[in-house]
Short mmCIF file of all heavy atoms in Angstrom, two decimals:
data_model
loop_
_atom_site.label_atom_id
_atom_site.label_comp_id
_atom_site.label_asym_id
_atom_site.label_seq_id
_atom_site.Cartn_x
_atom_site.Cartn_y
_atom_site.Cartn_z
N MET M 1 -27.57 -69.29 -20.38
CA MET M 1 -28.92 -69.09 -20.92
C MET M 1 -29.63 -68.01 -20.11
O MET M 1 -29.59 -68.01 -18.90
CB MET M 1 -29.70 -70.39 -20.85
CG MET M 1 -30.76 -70.49 -21.96
SD MET M 1 -31.89 -71.84 -21.63
CE MET M 1 -30.80 -73.24 -21.93
N LYS M 2 -30.31 -67.10 -20.78
CA LYS M 2 -30.99 -66.01 -20.08
C LYS M 2 -32.46 -66.33 -19.90
O LYS M 2 -33.12 -66.83 -20.79
CB LYS M 2 -30.84 -64.72 -20.90
CG LYS M 2 -30.02 -63.67 -20.17
CD LYS M 2 -29.98 -62.40 -21.00
CE LYS M 2 -29.00 -61.41 -20.38
NZ LYS M 2 -28.86 -60.23 -21.23
N ASN M 3 -32.94 -66.02 -18.74
CA ASN M 3 -34.35 -66.20 -18.46
C ASN M 3 -34.96 -64.83 -18.21
O ASN M 3 -34.94 -64.32 -17.10
CB ASN M 3 -34.53 -67.13 -17.26
CG ASN M 3 -36.00 -67.47 -17.04
OD1 ASN M 3 -36.87 -66.97 -17.75
ND2 ASN M 3 -36.27 -68.31 -16.07
N GLU M 4 -35.47 -64.23 -19.28
CA GLU M 4 -35.88 -62.83 -19.16
C GLU M 4 -37.26 -62.69 -18.54
O GLU M 4 -37.61 -61.65 -18.01
CB GLU M 4 -35.84 -62.17 -20.54
CG GLU M 4 -34.42 -62.08 -21.06
CD GLU M 4 -34.40 -61.45 -22.44
OE1 GLU M 4 -35.39 -60.82 -22.82
OE2 GLU M 4 -33.39 -61.61 -23.13
N SER M 5 -38.08 -63.71 -18.63
CA SER M 5 -39.44 -63.59 -18.12
C SER M 5 -39.56 -64.13 -16.70
O SER M 5 -40.45 -63.73 -15.96
CB SER M 5 -40.42 -64.32 -19.04
OG SER M 5 -40.07 -65.68 -19.13
N GLY M 6 -38.68 -65.05 -16.34
CA GLY M 6 -38.78 -65.65 -15.02
C GLY M 6 -38.29 -64.71 -13.95
O GLY M 6 -37.53 -63.78 -14.19
N GLU M 7 -38.75 -64.98 -12.75
CA GLU M 7 -38.28 -64.15 -11.64
C GLU M 7 -36.86 -64.55 -11.29
O GLU M 7 -36.49 -65.72 -11.41
CB GLU M 7 -39.15 -64.34 -10.41
CG GLU M 7 -40.64 -64.17 -10.65
CD GLU M 7 -41.35 -65.50 -10.60
OE1 GLU M 7 -41.13 -66.23 -9.65
OE2 GLU M 7 -42.11 -65.78 -11.54
N ILE M 8 -36.12 -63.57 -10.87
CA ILE M 8 -34.78 -63.86 -10.37
C ILE M 8 -34.84 -63.96 -8.87
O ILE M 8 -35.34 -63.06 -8.20
CB ILE M 8 -33.79 -62.77 -10.80
CG1 ILE M 8 -33.68 -62.77 -12.32
CG2 ILE M 8 -32.43 -62.99 -10.15
CD1 ILE M 8 -32.74 -61.72 -12.85
N GLN M 9 -34.38 -65.07 -8.36
CA GLN M 9 -34.41 -65.28 -6.92
C GLN M 9 -33.46 -64.29 -6.24
O GLN M 9 -32.48 -63.88 -6.83
CB GLN M 9 -33.95 -66.70 -6.61
CG GLN M 9 -34.77 -67.75 -7.31
CD GLN M 9 -35.77 -68.40 -6.40
OE1 GLN M 9 -35.49 -68.59 -5.24
NE2 GLN M 9 -36.93 -68.70 -6.90
N PRO M 10 -33.76 -63.96 -5.02
CA PRO M 10 -32.83 -63.12 -4.26
C PRO M 10 -31.46 -63.79 -4.23
O PRO M 10 -31.34 -64.93 -3.82
CB PRO M 10 -33.44 -63.05 -2.87
CG PRO M 10 -34.89 -63.36 -3.08
CD PRO M 10 -34.95 -64.29 -4.27
N GLY M 11 -30.47 -63.09 -4.68
CA GLY M 11 -29.15 -63.69 -4.74
C GLY M 11 -28.84 -64.23 -6.11
O GLY M 11 -27.72 -64.19 -6.56
N GLY M 12 -29.87 -64.72 -6.79
CA GLY M 12 -29.70 -65.17 -8.16
C GLY M 12 -28.78 -66.37 -8.31
O GLY M 12 -28.13 -66.52 -9.32
N TRP M 13 -28.75 -67.25 -7.29
CA TRP M 13 -27.86 -68.39 -7.36
C TRP M 13 -28.49 -69.52 -8.17
O TRP M 13 -29.64 -69.88 -7.95
CB TRP M 13 -27.54 -68.90 -5.96
CG TRP M 13 -26.85 -67.91 -5.11
CD1 TRP M 13 -27.43 -66.97 -4.31
CD2 TRP M 13 -25.44 -67.72 -4.96
NE1 TRP M 13 -26.46 -66.23 -3.68
CE2 TRP M 13 -25.24 -66.67 -4.05
CE3 TRP M 13 -24.32 -68.37 -5.51
CZ2 TRP M 13 -23.97 -66.24 -3.69
CZ3 TRP M 13 -23.06 -67.94 -5.13
CH2 TRP M 13 -22.90 -66.88 -4.24
N ILE M 14 -27.73 -70.05 -9.08
CA ILE M 14 -28.18 -71.18 -9.87
C ILE M 14 -27.12 -72.28 -9.76
O ILE M 14 -25.93 -72.02 -9.88
CB ILE M 14 -28.35 -70.79 -11.35
CG1 ILE M 14 -29.35 -69.65 -11.50
CG2 ILE M 14 -28.76 -72.00 -12.19
CD1 ILE M 14 -30.78 -70.06 -11.27
N CYS M 15 -27.59 -73.51 -9.52
CA CYS M 15 -26.65 -74.62 -9.44
C CYS M 15 -26.04 -74.86 -10.82
O CYS M 15 -26.75 -75.03 -11.80
CB CYS M 15 -27.35 -75.88 -8.96
SG CYS M 15 -26.26 -77.32 -8.89
N ALA M 16 -24.72 -74.88 -10.86
CA ALA M 16 -24.05 -75.08 -12.14
C ALA M 16 -24.24 -76.50 -12.65
O ALA M 16 -24.16 -76.75 -13.84
CB ALA M 16 -22.55 -74.77 -11.99
N ASN M 17 -24.51 -77.41 -11.74
CA ASN M 17 -24.68 -78.81 -12.13
C ASN M 17 -26.09 -79.08 -12.62
O ASN M 17 -26.30 -79.79 -13.61
CB ASN M 17 -24.36 -79.73 -10.95
CG ASN M 17 -22.91 -79.60 -10.50
OD1 ASN M 17 -22.02 -79.40 -11.31
ND2 ASN M 17 -22.70 -79.67 -9.22
N CYS M 18 -27.08 -78.54 -11.90
CA CYS M 18 -28.47 -78.89 -12.15
C CYS M 18 -29.23 -77.77 -12.87
O CYS M 18 -30.26 -78.02 -13.48
CB CYS M 18 -29.18 -79.21 -10.84
SG CYS M 18 -28.24 -80.32 -9.77
N GLY M 19 -28.74 -76.56 -12.79
CA GLY M 19 -29.43 -75.45 -13.44
C GLY M 19 -30.70 -75.04 -12.73
O GLY M 19 -31.58 -74.44 -13.34
N VAL M 20 -30.83 -75.39 -11.46
CA VAL M 20 -32.01 -75.03 -10.70
C VAL M 20 -31.64 -73.94 -9.70
O VAL M 20 -30.49 -73.86 -9.26
CB VAL M 20 -32.61 -76.24 -9.96
CG1 VAL M 20 -33.02 -77.31 -10.95
CG2 VAL M 20 -31.61 -76.80 -8.97
N PRO M 21 -32.62 -73.08 -9.35
CA PRO M 21 -32.34 -72.03 -8.36
C PRO M 21 -31.97 -72.64 -7.02
O PRO M 21 -32.55 -73.63 -6.59
CB PRO M 21 -33.65 -71.25 -8.27
CG PRO M 21 -34.44 -71.63 -9.49
CD PRO M 21 -34.00 -73.01 -9.85
N LEU M 22 -31.01 -72.03 -6.38
CA LEU M 22 -30.59 -72.51 -5.07
C LEU M 22 -31.48 -71.92 -3.99
O LEU M 22 -32.03 -70.84 -4.14
CB LEU M 22 -29.13 -72.12 -4.81
CG LEU M 22 -28.15 -72.63 -5.85
CD1 LEU M 22 -26.74 -72.25 -5.44
CD2 LEU M 22 -28.25 -74.13 -6.06
N GLU M 23 -31.62 -72.66 -2.91
CA GLU M 23 -32.38 -72.18 -1.78
C GLU M 23 -31.42 -71.72 -0.70
O GLU M 23 -30.41 -72.36 -0.43
CB GLU M 23 -33.25 -73.31 -1.22
CG GLU M 23 -34.26 -73.83 -2.23
CD GLU M 23 -34.99 -75.04 -1.71
OE1 GLU M 23 -34.53 -75.63 -0.72
OE2 GLU M 23 -36.04 -75.37 -2.29
N LEU M 24 -31.79 -70.62 -0.07
CA LEU M 24 -30.98 -70.15 1.04
C LEU M 24 -31.35 -70.92 2.29
O LEU M 24 -32.48 -70.86 2.77
CB LEU M 24 -31.19 -68.65 1.26
CG LEU M 24 -30.41 -67.74 0.34
CD1 LEU M 24 -30.73 -66.28 0.63
CD2 LEU M 24 -28.92 -67.97 0.47
N LEU M 25 -30.39 -71.68 2.80
CA LEU M 25 -30.65 -72.47 4.00
C LEU M 25 -29.58 -72.16 5.03
O LEU M 25 -28.43 -71.89 4.69
CB LEU M 25 -30.61 -73.96 3.65
CG LEU M 25 -31.73 -74.44 2.71
CD1 LEU M 25 -31.50 -75.88 2.31
CD2 LEU M 25 -33.07 -74.26 3.36
N PRO M 26 -29.98 -72.18 6.30
CA PRO M 26 -29.01 -71.91 7.35
C PRO M 26 -27.96 -73.01 7.42
O PRO M 26 -28.28 -74.19 7.37
CB PRO M 26 -29.85 -71.85 8.64
CG PRO M 26 -31.10 -72.60 8.30
CD PRO M 26 -31.33 -72.44 6.83
N ALA M 27 -26.72 -72.59 7.51
CA ALA M 27 -25.62 -73.54 7.64
C ALA M 27 -24.72 -73.08 8.77
O ALA M 27 -24.67 -71.89 9.11
CB ALA M 27 -24.84 -73.64 6.34
N ASP M 28 -24.05 -74.03 9.36
CA ASP M 28 -23.13 -73.68 10.44
C ASP M 28 -21.83 -73.15 9.86
O ASP M 28 -21.25 -73.75 8.96
CB ASP M 28 -22.85 -74.91 11.31
CG ASP M 28 -24.08 -75.29 12.12
OD1 ASP M 28 -24.78 -74.39 12.59
OD2 ASP M 28 -24.32 -76.50 12.27
N ALA M 29 -21.38 -72.05 10.39
CA ALA M 29 -20.10 -71.50 9.98
C ALA M 29 -19.27 -71.25 11.23
O ALA M 29 -19.81 -71.02 12.31
CB ALA M 29 -20.29 -70.22 9.19
N ILE M 30 -17.99 -71.31 11.06
CA ILE M 30 -17.12 -71.07 12.21
C ILE M 30 -16.16 -69.93 11.85
O ILE M 30 -15.54 -69.93 10.80
CB ILE M 30 -16.31 -72.34 12.56
CG1 ILE M 30 -17.28 -73.45 12.99
CG2 ILE M 30 -15.31 -72.03 13.67
CD1 ILE M 30 -16.58 -74.75 13.34
N TYR M 31 -16.11 -68.97 12.72
CA TYR M 31 -15.23 -67.84 12.50
C TYR M 31 -14.58 -67.45 13.83
O TYR M 31 -15.27 -67.27 14.83
CB TYR M 31 -16.01 -66.66 11.93
CG TYR M 31 -15.16 -65.42 11.76
CD1 TYR M 31 -14.12 -65.40 10.82
CD2 TYR M 31 -15.37 -64.30 12.54
CE1 TYR M 31 -13.34 -64.28 10.66
CE2 TYR M 31 -14.60 -63.17 12.39
CZ TYR M 31 -13.58 -63.17 11.44
OH TYR M 31 -12.81 -62.06 11.29
N MET M 32 -13.29 -67.32 13.81
CA MET M 32 -12.56 -66.92 15.00
C MET M 32 -12.90 -67.81 16.20
O MET M 32 -13.02 -67.34 17.33
CB MET M 32 -12.85 -65.45 15.34
CG MET M 32 -12.43 -64.50 14.25
SD MET M 32 -10.65 -64.24 14.15
CE MET M 32 -10.41 -63.13 15.53
N GLY M 33 -13.10 -69.10 15.92
CA GLY M 33 -13.32 -70.05 17.00
C GLY M 33 -14.73 -70.11 17.52
O GLY M 33 -15.04 -70.94 18.37
N SER M 34 -15.60 -69.24 17.01
CA SER M 34 -16.99 -69.32 17.45
C SER M 34 -17.86 -69.68 16.26
O SER M 34 -17.62 -69.24 15.14
CB SER M 34 -17.44 -68.00 18.07
OG SER M 34 -17.21 -66.94 17.19
N SER M 35 -18.87 -70.48 16.54
CA SER M 35 -19.74 -70.91 15.45
C SER M 35 -21.02 -70.09 15.44
O SER M 35 -21.49 -69.63 16.47
CB SER M 35 -20.06 -72.40 15.61
OG SER M 35 -20.83 -72.60 16.77
N PHE M 36 -21.53 -69.91 14.26
CA PHE M 36 -22.79 -69.20 14.12
C PHE M 36 -23.46 -69.74 12.87
O PHE M 36 -22.88 -70.48 12.08
CB PHE M 36 -22.57 -67.69 14.02
CG PHE M 36 -21.62 -67.30 12.92
CD1 PHE M 36 -22.08 -67.04 11.66
CD2 PHE M 36 -20.25 -67.20 13.19
CE1 PHE M 36 -21.20 -66.69 10.65
CE2 PHE M 36 -19.37 -66.85 12.18
CZ PHE M 36 -19.84 -66.59 10.91
N GLN M 37 -24.69 -69.35 12.70
CA GLN M 37 -25.41 -69.80 11.52
C GLN M 37 -25.45 -68.71 10.48
O GLN M 37 -25.62 -67.53 10.78
CB GLN M 37 -26.85 -70.21 11.89
CG GLN M 37 -26.90 -71.59 12.55
CD GLN M 37 -28.26 -72.23 12.33
OE1 GLN M 37 -29.27 -71.55 12.36
NE2 GLN M 37 -28.29 -73.51 12.12
N VAL M 38 -25.27 -69.12 9.25
CA VAL M 38 -25.33 -68.18 8.14
C VAL M 38 -26.11 -68.84 7.02
O VAL M 38 -26.03 -70.04 6.81
CB VAL M 38 -23.91 -67.79 7.68
CG1 VAL M 38 -23.12 -69.01 7.25
CG2 VAL M 38 -23.98 -66.78 6.56
N ASP M 39 -26.92 -68.04 6.36
CA ASP M 39 -27.70 -68.59 5.24
C ASP M 39 -26.80 -68.74 4.03
O ASP M 39 -26.20 -67.77 3.56
CB ASP M 39 -28.87 -67.66 4.91
CG ASP M 39 -29.99 -67.78 5.93
OD1 ASP M 39 -30.01 -68.78 6.65
OD2 ASP M 39 -30.81 -66.87 5.99
N LEU M 40 -26.71 -69.96 3.54
CA LEU M 40 -25.91 -70.21 2.36
C LEU M 40 -26.80 -70.83 1.29
O LEU M 40 -27.72 -71.58 1.59
CB LEU M 40 -24.77 -71.18 2.69
CG LEU M 40 -23.67 -70.63 3.59
CD1 LEU M 40 -22.62 -71.70 3.85
CD2 LEU M 40 -23.03 -69.39 2.99
N PRO M 41 -26.52 -70.51 0.04
CA PRO M 41 -27.31 -71.10 -1.05
C PRO M 41 -27.01 -72.58 -1.20
O PRO M 41 -25.85 -72.99 -1.27
CB PRO M 41 -26.85 -70.30 -2.29
CG PRO M 41 -25.54 -69.72 -1.92
CD PRO M 41 -25.52 -69.56 -0.42
N ARG M 42 -28.06 -73.37 -1.22
CA ARG M 42 -27.90 -74.81 -1.31
C ARG M 42 -28.81 -75.33 -2.43
O ARG M 42 -29.96 -74.93 -2.55
CB ARG M 42 -28.29 -75.46 0.02
CG ARG M 42 -28.08 -76.95 0.07
CD ARG M 42 -28.18 -77.41 1.52
NE ARG M 42 -28.14 -78.86 1.64
CZ ARG M 42 -29.23 -79.64 1.57
NH1 ARG M 42 -30.40 -79.10 1.38
NH2 ARG M 42 -29.12 -80.94 1.67
N CYS M 43 -28.28 -76.26 -3.21
CA CYS M 43 -29.05 -76.81 -4.32
C CYS M 43 -30.02 -77.86 -3.77
O CYS M 43 -29.60 -78.82 -3.13
CB CYS M 43 -28.11 -77.45 -5.34
SG CYS M 43 -29.01 -78.26 -6.67
N PRO M 44 -31.33 -77.69 -4.04
CA PRO M 44 -32.31 -78.65 -3.56
C PRO M 44 -32.23 -79.98 -4.31
O PRO M 44 -32.77 -80.99 -3.86
CB PRO M 44 -33.65 -77.97 -3.81
CG PRO M 44 -33.39 -77.01 -4.92
CD PRO M 44 -31.95 -76.58 -4.79
N ALA M 45 -31.57 -79.96 -5.45
CA ALA M 45 -31.52 -81.17 -6.27
C ALA M 45 -30.34 -82.06 -5.88
O ALA M 45 -30.49 -83.25 -5.62
CB ALA M 45 -31.43 -80.80 -7.74
N CYS M 46 -29.14 -81.49 -5.84
CA CYS M 46 -27.96 -82.31 -5.58
C CYS M 46 -27.40 -82.07 -4.18
O CYS M 46 -26.52 -82.78 -3.73
CB CYS M 46 -26.88 -82.08 -6.64
SG CYS M 46 -26.15 -80.45 -6.62
N GLY M 47 -27.93 -81.06 -3.48
CA GLY M 47 -27.54 -80.86 -2.10
C GLY M 47 -26.21 -80.17 -1.91
O GLY M 47 -25.71 -80.09 -0.79
N VAL M 48 -25.64 -79.66 -2.98
CA VAL M 48 -24.36 -78.97 -2.84
C VAL M 48 -24.58 -77.60 -2.23
O VAL M 48 -25.51 -76.89 -2.60
CB VAL M 48 -23.69 -78.82 -4.22
CG1 VAL M 48 -22.55 -77.82 -4.17
CG2 VAL M 48 -23.17 -80.17 -4.69
N THR M 49 -23.77 -77.26 -1.24
CA THR M 49 -23.83 -75.93 -0.66
C THR M 49 -22.78 -75.06 -1.32
O THR M 49 -21.62 -75.44 -1.42
CB THR M 49 -23.58 -75.99 0.85
OG1 THR M 49 -24.60 -76.78 1.45
CG2 THR M 49 -23.60 -74.60 1.46
N PHE M 50 -23.21 -73.93 -1.80
CA PHE M 50 -22.29 -73.04 -2.47
C PHE M 50 -21.78 -71.99 -1.50
O PHE M 50 -22.55 -71.32 -0.83
CB PHE M 50 -22.98 -72.35 -3.65
CG PHE M 50 -23.15 -73.28 -4.82
CD1 PHE M 50 -24.14 -74.25 -4.80
CD2 PHE M 50 -22.31 -73.19 -5.91
CE1 PHE M 50 -24.28 -75.12 -5.87
CE2 PHE M 50 -22.45 -74.06 -6.96
CZ PHE M 50 -23.44 -75.03 -6.96
N ILE M 51 -20.47 -71.88 -1.43
CA ILE M 51 -19.86 -70.90 -0.54
C ILE M 51 -19.61 -69.63 -1.35
O ILE M 51 -18.88 -69.65 -2.33
CB ILE M 51 -18.53 -71.42 0.02
CG1 ILE M 51 -18.72 -72.81 0.62
CG2 ILE M 51 -17.98 -70.45 1.02
CD1 ILE M 51 -19.64 -72.85 1.80
N PRO M 52 -20.23 -68.54 -0.93
CA PRO M 52 -19.96 -67.28 -1.62
C PRO M 52 -18.47 -66.98 -1.62
O PRO M 52 -17.75 -67.34 -0.69
CB PRO M 52 -20.74 -66.24 -0.81
CG PRO M 52 -21.82 -67.02 -0.13
CD PRO M 52 -21.23 -68.39 0.12
N GLN M 53 -18.03 -66.30 -2.66
CA GLN M 53 -16.60 -66.08 -2.83
C GLN M 53 -16.01 -65.33 -1.65
O GLN M 53 -14.88 -65.58 -1.24
CB GLN M 53 -16.37 -65.27 -4.11
CG GLN M 53 -14.92 -65.33 -4.56
CD GLN M 53 -14.71 -64.65 -5.89
OE1 GLN M 53 -15.60 -63.96 -6.38
NE2 GLN M 53 -13.57 -64.83 -6.48
N GLU M 54 -16.80 -64.43 -1.07
CA GLU M 54 -16.28 -63.67 0.06
C GLU M 54 -15.94 -64.60 1.22
O GLU M 54 -14.94 -64.43 1.91
CB GLU M 54 -17.29 -62.63 0.53
CG GLU M 54 -17.73 -61.67 -0.55
CD GLU M 54 -18.89 -62.25 -1.36
OE1 GLU M 54 -19.93 -62.51 -0.77
OE2 GLU M 54 -18.71 -62.45 -2.56
N LEU M 55 -16.82 -65.62 1.41
CA LEU M 55 -16.56 -66.57 2.48
C LEU M 55 -15.36 -67.44 2.14
O LEU M 55 -14.51 -67.71 2.97
CB LEU M 55 -17.79 -67.45 2.71
CG LEU M 55 -19.00 -66.75 3.32
CD1 LEU M 55 -20.10 -67.76 3.58
CD2 LEU M 55 -18.64 -66.04 4.59
N ALA M 56 -15.31 -67.87 0.88
CA ALA M 56 -14.22 -68.74 0.46
C ALA M 56 -12.87 -68.04 0.60
O ALA M 56 -11.85 -68.66 0.86
CB ALA M 56 -14.44 -69.19 -0.99
N GLU M 57 -12.89 -66.74 0.45
CA GLU M 57 -11.64 -65.99 0.54
C GLU M 57 -11.33 -65.58 1.97
O GLU M 57 -10.35 -64.92 2.24
CB GLU M 57 -11.72 -64.74 -0.34
CG GLU M 57 -11.73 -65.07 -1.83
CD GLU M 57 -11.94 -63.83 -2.68
OE1 GLU M 57 -12.23 -62.76 -2.12
OE2 GLU M 57 -11.80 -63.94 -3.90
N GLY M 58 -12.20 -65.94 2.87
CA GLY M 58 -11.94 -65.68 4.27
C GLY M 58 -12.40 -64.33 4.75
O GLY M 58 -12.08 -63.90 5.85
N LYS M 59 -13.18 -63.66 3.93
CA LYS M 59 -13.66 -62.34 4.34
C LYS M 59 -14.93 -62.50 5.16
O LYS M 59 -16.01 -62.07 4.78
CB LYS M 59 -13.91 -61.47 3.12
CG LYS M 59 -12.64 -61.17 2.35
CD LYS M 59 -12.95 -60.36 1.11
CE LYS M 59 -11.68 -60.12 0.30
NZ LYS M 59 -11.97 -59.49 -0.99
N MET M 60 -14.77 -63.11 6.31
CA MET M 60 -15.94 -63.43 7.14
C MET M 60 -16.43 -62.21 7.91
O MET M 60 -17.49 -62.24 8.51
CB MET M 60 -15.61 -64.55 8.12
CG MET M 60 -15.23 -65.83 7.42
SD MET M 60 -16.67 -66.64 6.67
CE MET M 60 -17.45 -67.31 8.13
N LEU M 61 -15.66 -61.17 7.92
CA LEU M 61 -16.07 -59.98 8.66
C LEU M 61 -17.39 -59.45 8.13
O LEU M 61 -18.21 -58.93 8.87
CB LEU M 61 -14.99 -58.91 8.57
CG LEU M 61 -13.76 -59.16 9.44
CD1 LEU M 61 -12.70 -58.11 9.15
CD2 LEU M 61 -14.14 -59.11 10.92
N GLU M 62 -17.58 -59.59 6.82
CA GLU M 62 -18.83 -59.13 6.23
C GLU M 62 -20.00 -59.88 6.83
O GLU M 62 -21.02 -59.30 7.16
CB GLU M 62 -18.78 -59.38 4.72
CG GLU M 62 -17.65 -58.66 4.03
CD GLU M 62 -18.11 -57.32 3.47
OE1 GLU M 62 -19.33 -57.12 3.42
OE2 GLU M 62 -17.27 -56.49 3.13
N VAL M 63 -19.84 -61.18 6.97
CA VAL M 63 -20.90 -62.00 7.52
C VAL M 63 -21.15 -61.63 8.97
O VAL M 63 -22.27 -61.49 9.42
CB VAL M 63 -20.55 -63.48 7.41
CG1 VAL M 63 -21.58 -64.33 8.13
CG2 VAL M 63 -20.46 -63.89 5.94
N GLU M 64 -20.06 -61.44 9.69
CA GLU M 64 -20.18 -61.09 11.10
C GLU M 64 -20.95 -59.78 11.24
O GLU M 64 -21.80 -59.62 12.10
CB GLU M 64 -18.79 -60.93 11.69
CG GLU M 64 -18.78 -60.98 13.20
CD GLU M 64 -17.37 -61.01 13.74
OE1 GLU M 64 -16.54 -60.20 13.30
OE2 GLU M 64 -17.09 -61.86 14.59
N LYS M 65 -20.67 -58.84 10.35
CA LYS M 65 -21.35 -57.57 10.41
C LYS M 65 -22.84 -57.75 10.10
O LYS M 65 -23.69 -57.13 10.73
CB LYS M 65 -20.72 -56.63 9.38
CG LYS M 65 -21.17 -55.20 9.53
CD LYS M 65 -20.45 -54.32 8.51
CE LYS M 65 -21.03 -52.92 8.55
NZ LYS M 65 -20.58 -52.12 7.40
N LEU M 66 -23.13 -58.60 9.13
CA LEU M 66 -24.53 -58.86 8.80
C LEU M 66 -25.26 -59.43 9.99
O LEU M 66 -26.40 -59.07 10.27
CB LEU M 66 -24.61 -59.83 7.63
CG LEU M 66 -24.32 -59.23 6.24
CD1 LEU M 66 -24.31 -60.32 5.20
CD2 LEU M 66 -25.34 -58.18 5.88
N LEU M 67 -24.61 -60.33 10.69
CA LEU M 67 -25.25 -60.95 11.83
C LEU M 67 -25.54 -59.93 12.92
O LEU M 67 -26.56 -59.98 13.59
CB LEU M 67 -24.35 -62.06 12.39
CG LEU M 67 -24.24 -63.30 11.50
CD1 LEU M 67 -23.28 -64.29 12.13
CD2 LEU M 67 -25.60 -63.94 11.29
N GLU M 68 -24.65 -58.99 13.06
CA GLU M 68 -24.84 -57.98 14.10
C GLU M 68 -26.04 -57.09 13.80
O GLU M 68 -26.64 -56.53 14.68
CB GLU M 68 -23.58 -57.12 14.22
CG GLU M 68 -22.45 -57.84 14.94
CD GLU M 68 -21.19 -57.03 14.92
OE1 GLU M 68 -21.19 -55.92 14.37
OE2 GLU M 68 -20.18 -57.50 15.46
N ASP M 69 -26.35 -56.97 12.51
CA ASP M 69 -27.48 -56.13 12.13
C ASP M 69 -28.81 -56.77 12.47
O ASP M 69 -29.83 -56.10 12.47
CB ASP M 69 -27.43 -55.85 10.63
CG ASP M 69 -26.34 -54.86 10.31
OD1 ASP M 69 -25.88 -54.18 11.24
OD2 ASP M 69 -25.94 -54.78 9.15
N LYS M 70 -28.78 -58.06 12.72
CA LYS M 70 -30.04 -58.77 12.94
C LYS M 70 -30.68 -58.34 14.25
O LYS M 70 -29.99 -58.17 15.21
CB LYS M 70 -29.82 -60.27 12.95
CG LYS M 70 -29.94 -60.84 11.54
CD LYS M 70 -29.92 -62.35 11.59
CE LYS M 70 -30.02 -62.92 10.16
NZ LYS M 70 -29.84 -64.36 10.16
ZN1 LIG L 101 -27.43 -79.09 -8.05
#
């Protein structure tokens, strides 16, 4: 369903179960034996955290680079 008048949240994540916009919340991630925090989209309704495909595929270098920019 298209929502042409509503604002699109940064990232544009929508929970497939609830159909509500996801909130970016800090989550613990572990890469190369060290843990760090990364903002992941989380559904405020059902609490499911969605892992971006890049993370799911193990391309954590992108995240690491983002963190270095901070
Ligand atoms: Zn949900």
Side-chain angles (χ1 to χ4, degrees):
M1 209 193 289
K2 245 183 188 175
N3 187 357
E4 294 179 17
S5 59
E7 309 107 49
I8 296 179
Q9 303 259 324
W13 298 88
I14 301 287
C15 178
N17 298 324
C18 313
V20 299
L22 303 183
E23 299 174 344
L24 278 179
L25 294 173
D28 290 322
I30 297 179
Y31 176 67
M32 299 285 283
S34 54
S35 66
F36 55 90
Q37 282 206 322
V38 59
D39 285 342
L40 291 179
R42 184 167 173 272
C43 176
C46 67
V48 166
T49 298
F50 285 76
I51 309 296
Q53 196 174 11
E54 303 86 61
L55 290 184
E57 291 175 351
K59 296 177 183 173
M60 298 287 285
L61 284 174
E62 300 265 346
V63 173
E64 197 172 48
K65 191 178 173 192
L66 283 175
L67 289 178
E68 284 174 1
D69 286 343
K70 271 188 181 173

